[in-house]
PDB file of all heavy atoms in Angstrom:
ATOM      1  N   ALA A   1       0.817  -1.211   0.000  1.00 90.00           N
ATOM      2  CA  ALA A   1       0.000   0.000   0.000  1.00 90.00           C
ATOM      3  C   ALA A   1       0.854   1.266   0.000  1.00 90.00           C
ATOM      4  O   ALA A   1       0.408   2.320  -0.439  1.00 90.00           O
ATOM      5  CB  ALA A   1      -0.931   0.005   1.206  1.00 90.00           C
ATOM      6  N   ALA A   2       2.089   1.170   0.450  1.00 90.00           N
ATOM      7  CA  ALA A   2       2.970   2.344   0.528  1.00 90.00           C
ATOM      8  C   ALA A   2       3.929   2.440  -0.654  1.00 90.00           C
ATOM      9  O   ALA A   2       4.738   3.358  -0.709  1.00 90.00           O
ATOM     10  CB  ALA A   2       3.757   2.318   1.831  1.00 90.00           C
ATOM     11  N   HIS A   3       3.839   1.504  -1.591  1.00 92.00           N
ATOM     12  CA  HIS A   3       4.741   1.555  -2.741  1.00 92.00           C
ATOM     13  C   HIS A   3       4.567   2.875  -3.470  1.00 92.00           C
ATOM     14  O   HIS A   3       3.463   3.369  -3.639  1.00 92.00           O
ATOM     15  CB  HIS A   3       4.461   0.400  -3.701  1.00 92.00           C
ATOM     16  CG  HIS A   3       5.004  -0.898  -3.223  1.00 92.00           C
ATOM     17  ND1 HIS A   3       4.987  -2.026  -3.999  1.00 92.00           N
ATOM     18  CD2 HIS A   3       5.596  -1.263  -2.057  1.00 92.00           C
ATOM     19  CE1 HIS A   3       5.530  -3.022  -3.330  1.00 92.00           C
ATOM     20  NE2 HIS A   3       5.903  -2.592  -2.142  1.00 92.00           N
ATOM     21  N   GLY A   4       5.678   3.449  -3.898  1.00 90.00           N
ATOM     22  CA  GLY A   4       5.630   4.704  -4.644  1.00 90.00           C
ATOM     23  C   GLY A   4       6.777   5.605  -4.252  1.00 90.00           C
ATOM     24  O   GLY A   4       7.752   5.194  -3.618  1.00 90.00           O
ATOM     25  N   GLU A   5       6.650   6.884  -4.615  1.00 91.00           N
ATOM     26  CA  GLU A   5       7.718   7.850  -4.390  1.00 91.00           C
ATOM     27  C   GLU A   5       7.519   8.628  -3.094  1.00 91.00           C
ATOM     28  O   GLU A   5       6.424   9.105  -2.809  1.00 91.00           O
ATOM     29  CB  GLU A   5       7.767   8.813  -5.577  1.00 91.00           C
ATOM     30  CG  GLU A   5       9.126   9.403  -5.780  1.00 91.00           C
ATOM     31  CD  GLU A   5       9.242  10.139  -7.098  1.00 91.00           C
ATOM     32  OE1 GLU A   5       9.240   9.482  -8.148  1.00 91.00           O
ATOM     33  OE2 GLU A   5       9.336  11.374  -7.049  1.00 91.00           O
ATOM     34  N   TRP A   6       8.616   8.755  -2.320  1.00 91.00           N
ATOM     35  CA  TRP A   6       8.617   9.446  -1.032  1.00 91.00           C
ATOM     36  C   TRP A   6       9.927  10.207  -0.878  1.00 91.00           C
ATOM     37  O   TRP A   6      10.854  10.010  -1.668  1.00 91.00           O
ATOM     38  CB  TRP A   6       8.507   8.437   0.118  1.00 91.00           C
ATOM     39  CG  TRP A   6       7.284   7.593   0.074  1.00 91.00           C
ATOM     40  CD1 TRP A   6       7.151   6.372  -0.530  1.00 91.00           C
ATOM     41  CD2 TRP A   6       6.016   7.895   0.628  1.00 91.00           C
ATOM     42  NE1 TRP A   6       5.877   5.904  -0.371  1.00 91.00           N
ATOM     43  CE2 TRP A   6       5.149   6.824   0.344  1.00 91.00           C
ATOM     44  CE3 TRP A   6       5.503   8.961   1.357  1.00 91.00           C
ATOM     45  CZ2 TRP A   6       3.827   6.784   0.744  1.00 91.00           C
ATOM     46  CZ3 TRP A   6       4.185   8.928   1.758  1.00 91.00           C
ATOM     47  CH2 TRP A   6       3.361   7.851   1.452  1.00 91.00           C
ATOM     48  N   THR A   7      10.021  11.005   0.156  1.00 90.00           N
ATOM     49  CA  THR A   7      11.322  11.502   0.604  1.00 90.00           C
ATOM     50  C   THR A   7      11.601  10.780   1.915  1.00 90.00           C
ATOM     51  O   THR A   7      10.686  10.237   2.529  1.00 90.00           O
ATOM     52  CB  THR A   7      11.337  13.033   0.820  1.00 90.00           C
ATOM     53  OG1 THR A   7      10.381  13.373   1.803  1.00 90.00           O
ATOM     54  CG2 THR A   7      11.062  13.774  -0.469  1.00 90.00           C
ATOM     55  N   LEU A   8      12.847  10.773   2.329  1.00 86.00           N
ATOM     56  CA  LEU A   8      13.130  10.041   3.561  1.00 86.00           C
ATOM     57  C   LEU A   8      13.957  10.854   4.537  1.00 86.00           C
ATOM     58  O   LEU A   8      14.586  11.837   4.182  1.00 86.00           O
ATOM     59  CB  LEU A   8      13.798   8.699   3.266  1.00 86.00           C
ATOM     60  CG  LEU A   8      15.073   8.647   2.437  1.00 86.00           C
ATOM     61  CD1 LEU A   8      16.287   9.030   3.235  1.00 86.00           C
ATOM     62  CD2 LEU A   8      15.244   7.257   1.899  1.00 86.00           C
ATOM     63  N   GLN A   9      13.894  10.407   5.778  1.00 86.00           N
ATOM     64  CA  GLN A   9      14.647  10.977   6.894  1.00 86.00           C
ATOM     65  C   GLN A   9      15.207   9.785   7.677  1.00 86.00           C
ATOM     66  O   GLN A   9      14.653   8.695   7.618  1.00 86.00           O
ATOM     67  CB  GLN A   9      13.734  11.783   7.832  1.00 86.00           C
ATOM     68  CG  GLN A   9      13.011  12.939   7.184  1.00 86.00           C
ATOM     69  CD  GLN A   9      13.944  14.090   6.891  1.00 86.00           C
ATOM     70  OE1 GLN A   9      14.950  14.282   7.551  1.00 86.00           O
ATOM     71  NE2 GLN A   9      13.606  14.854   5.871  1.00 86.00           N
ATOM     72  N   PRO A  10      16.282   9.972   8.432  1.00 85.00           N
ATOM     73  CA  PRO A  10      16.731   8.883   9.298  1.00 85.00           C
ATOM     74  C   PRO A  10      15.632   8.547  10.306  1.00 85.00           C
ATOM     75  O   PRO A  10      14.908   9.419  10.759  1.00 85.00           O
ATOM     76  CB  PRO A  10      17.955   9.474  10.015  1.00 85.00           C
ATOM     77  CG  PRO A  10      18.397  10.605   9.154  1.00 85.00           C
ATOM     78  CD  PRO A  10      17.167  11.132   8.492  1.00 85.00           C
ATOM     79  N   CYS A  11      15.498   7.286  10.599  1.00 85.00           N
ATOM     80  CA  CYS A  11      14.449   6.837  11.521  1.00 85.00           C
ATOM     81  C   CYS A  11      14.706   7.373  12.930  1.00 85.00           C
ATOM     82  O   CYS A  11      15.820   7.314  13.444  1.00 85.00           O
ATOM     83  CB  CYS A  11      14.389   5.318  11.545  1.00 85.00           C
ATOM     84  SG  CYS A  11      13.006   4.680  12.516  1.00 85.00           S
ATOM     85  N   ALA A  12      13.628   7.883  13.549  1.00 84.00           N
ATOM     86  CA  ALA A  12      13.734   8.424  14.905  1.00 84.00           C
ATOM     87  C   ALA A  12      12.887   7.623  15.888  1.00 84.00           C
ATOM     88  O   ALA A  12      12.555   8.116  16.968  1.00 84.00           O
ATOM     89  CB  ALA A  12      13.302   9.887  14.911  1.00 84.00           C
ATOM     90  N   CYS A  13      12.565   6.358  15.530  1.00 85.00           N
ATOM     91  CA  CYS A  13      11.796   5.530  16.457  1.00 85.00           C
ATOM     92  C   CYS A  13      12.659   5.230  17.696  1.00 85.00           C
ATOM     93  O   CYS A  13      13.867   5.458  17.700  1.00 85.00           O
ATOM     94  CB  CYS A  13      11.332   4.247  15.772  1.00 85.00           C
ATOM     95  SG  CYS A  13      12.643   3.062  15.446  1.00 85.00           S
ATOM     96  N   HIS A  14      12.037   4.709  18.730  1.00 85.00           N
ATOM     97  CA  HIS A  14      12.750   4.463  19.996  1.00 85.00           C
ATOM     98  C   HIS A  14      13.962   3.550  19.831  1.00 85.00           C
ATOM     99  O   HIS A  14      15.064   3.894  20.290  1.00 85.00           O
ATOM    100  CB  HIS A  14      11.780   3.924  21.051  1.00 85.00           C
ATOM    101  CG  HIS A  14      12.425   3.709  22.384  1.00 85.00           C
ATOM    102  ND1 HIS A  14      12.910   4.741  23.155  1.00 85.00           N
ATOM    103  CD2 HIS A  14      12.715   2.559  23.051  1.00 85.00           C
ATOM    104  CE1 HIS A  14      13.451   4.250  24.244  1.00 85.00           C
ATOM    105  NE2 HIS A  14      13.345   2.923  24.217  1.00 85.00           N
ATOM    106  N   PRO A  15      13.839   2.367  19.179  1.00 86.00           N
ATOM    107  CA  PRO A  15      15.027   1.502  19.046  1.00 86.00           C
ATOM    108  C   PRO A  15      16.168   2.166  18.250  1.00 86.00           C
ATOM    109  O   PRO A  15      17.335   2.019  18.608  1.00 86.00           O
ATOM    110  CB  PRO A  15      14.500   0.265  18.310  1.00 86.00           C
ATOM    111  CG  PRO A  15      13.037   0.260  18.576  1.00 86.00           C
ATOM    112  CD  PRO A  15      12.631   1.693  18.697  1.00 86.00           C
ATOM    113  N   CYS A  16      15.830   2.906  17.199  1.00 83.00           N
ATOM    114  CA  CYS A  16      16.875   3.557  16.393  1.00 83.00           C
ATOM    115  C   CYS A  16      17.557   4.678  17.170  1.00 83.00           C
ATOM    116  O   CYS A  16      18.772   4.841  17.105  1.00 83.00           O
ATOM    117  CB  CYS A  16      16.290   4.095  15.091  1.00 83.00           C
ATOM    118  SG  CYS A  16      15.853   2.793  13.921  1.00 83.00           S
ATOM    119  N   THR A  17      16.765   5.451  17.915  1.00 82.00           N
ATOM    120  CA  THR A  17      17.329   6.524  18.723  1.00 82.00           C
ATOM    121  C   THR A  17      18.239   5.958  19.808  1.00 82.00           C
ATOM    122  O   THR A  17      19.341   6.461  20.041  1.00 82.00           O
ATOM    123  CB  THR A  17      16.210   7.370  19.351  1.00 82.00           C
ATOM    124  OG1 THR A  17      15.382   7.885  18.303  1.00 82.00           O
ATOM    125  CG2 THR A  17      16.766   8.524  20.147  1.00 82.00           C
ATOM    126  N   ALA A  18      17.796   4.879  20.466  1.00 83.00           N
ATOM    127  CA  ALA A  18      18.614   4.252  21.512  1.00 83.00           C
ATOM    128  C   ALA A  18      19.918   3.710  20.924  1.00 83.00           C
ATOM    129  O   ALA A  18      20.990   3.866  21.515  1.00 83.00           O
ATOM    130  CB  ALA A  18      17.824   3.141  22.190  1.00 83.00           C
ATOM    131  N   ALA A  19      19.838   3.091  19.740  1.00 80.00           N
ATOM    132  CA  ALA A  19      21.045   2.552  19.101  1.00 80.00           C
ATOM    133  C   ALA A  19      22.016   3.681  18.761  1.00 80.00           C
ATOM    134  O   ALA A  19      23.232   3.544  18.961  1.00 80.00           O
ATOM    135  CB  ALA A  19      20.678   1.774  17.848  1.00 80.00           C
ATOM    136  N   ALA A  20      21.483   4.802  18.274  1.00 76.00           N
ATOM    137  CA  ALA A  20      22.341   5.947  17.937  1.00 76.00           C
ATOM    138  C   ALA A  20      23.030   6.498  19.187  1.00 76.00           C
ATOM    139  O   ALA A  20      24.199   6.870  19.155  1.00 76.00           O
ATOM    140  CB  ALA A  20      21.532   7.037  17.252  1.00 76.00           C
ATOM    141  N   LEU A  21      22.301   6.524  20.302  1.00 82.00           N
ATOM    142  CA  LEU A  21      22.890   7.016  21.547  1.00 82.00           C
ATOM    143  C   LEU A  21      24.001   6.092  22.049  1.00 82.00           C
ATOM    144  O   LEU A  21      24.907   6.529  22.751  1.00 82.00           O
ATOM    145  CB  LEU A  21      21.817   7.187  22.616  1.00 82.00           C
ATOM    146  CG  LEU A  21      20.831   8.332  22.370  1.00 82.00           C
ATOM    147  CD1 LEU A  21      19.705   8.295  23.398  1.00 82.00           C
ATOM    148  CD2 LEU A  21      21.541   9.673  22.394  1.00 82.00           C
ATOM    149  N   LEU A  22      23.924   4.807  21.704  1.00 83.00           N
ATOM    150  CA  LEU A  22      24.958   3.850  22.090  1.00 83.00           C
ATOM    151  C   LEU A  22      26.123   3.834  21.098  1.00 83.00           C
ATOM    152  O   LEU A  22      27.065   3.049  21.260  1.00 83.00           O
ATOM    153  CB  LEU A  22      24.361   2.450  22.211  1.00 83.00           C
ATOM    154  CG  LEU A  22      23.364   2.260  23.355  1.00 83.00           C
ATOM    155  CD1 LEU A  22      22.707   0.884  23.265  1.00 83.00           C
ATOM    156  CD2 LEU A  22      24.076   2.423  24.699  1.00 83.00           C
ATOM    157  N   GLY A  23      26.037   4.656  20.046  1.00 77.00           N
ATOM    158  CA  GLY A  23      27.134   4.746  19.087  1.00 77.00           C
ATOM    159  C   GLY A  23      27.006   3.867  17.871  1.00 77.00           C
ATOM    160  O   GLY A  23      27.917   3.789  17.056  1.00 77.00           O
ATOM    161  N   HIS A  24      25.885   3.169  17.711  1.00 74.00           N
ATOM    162  CA  HIS A  24      25.679   2.331  16.533  1.00 74.00           C
ATOM    163  C   HIS A  24      25.168   3.188  15.383  1.00 74.00           C
ATOM    164  O   HIS A  24      24.389   4.116  15.598  1.00 74.00           O
ATOM    165  CB  HIS A  24      24.667   1.216  16.819  1.00 74.00           C
ATOM    166  CG  HIS A  24      25.100   0.299  17.911  1.00 74.00           C
ATOM    167  ND1 HIS A  24      26.115  -0.610  17.750  1.00 74.00           N
ATOM    168  CD2 HIS A  24      24.671   0.163  19.197  1.00 74.00           C
ATOM    169  CE1 HIS A  24      26.282  -1.279  18.885  1.00 74.00           C
ATOM    170  NE2 HIS A  24      25.422  -0.821  19.781  1.00 74.00           N
ATOM    171  N   PRO A  25      25.569   2.892  14.150  1.00 67.00           N
ATOM    172  CA  PRO A  25      25.064   3.689  13.031  1.00 67.00           C
ATOM    173  C   PRO A  25      23.577   3.431  12.813  1.00 67.00           C
ATOM    174  O   PRO A  25      23.105   2.306  12.976  1.00 67.00           O
ATOM    175  CB  PRO A  25      25.885   3.197  11.834  1.00 67.00           C
ATOM    176  CG  PRO A  25      26.376   1.852  12.218  1.00 67.00           C
ATOM    177  CD  PRO A  25      26.499   1.849  13.719  1.00 67.00           C
TER     178      PRO A  25
END
C-alpha cells in the first residue's frame, strides 16, 4: 500500500534513537 515515491529521513523511532545514543550507526 505504501509503494511509490517518497522523501526520507533517518528513523527516529525508539530503538533507532537508543542505538544511535549507544554509538551504533
Side-chain angles (χ1 to χ4, degrees):
H3 283 187
E5 206 169 290
W6 301 91
T7 60
L8 55 78
Q9 301 287 333
C11 186
C13 71
H14 183 66
C16 288
T17 303
L21 290 173
L22 293 173
H24 299 288

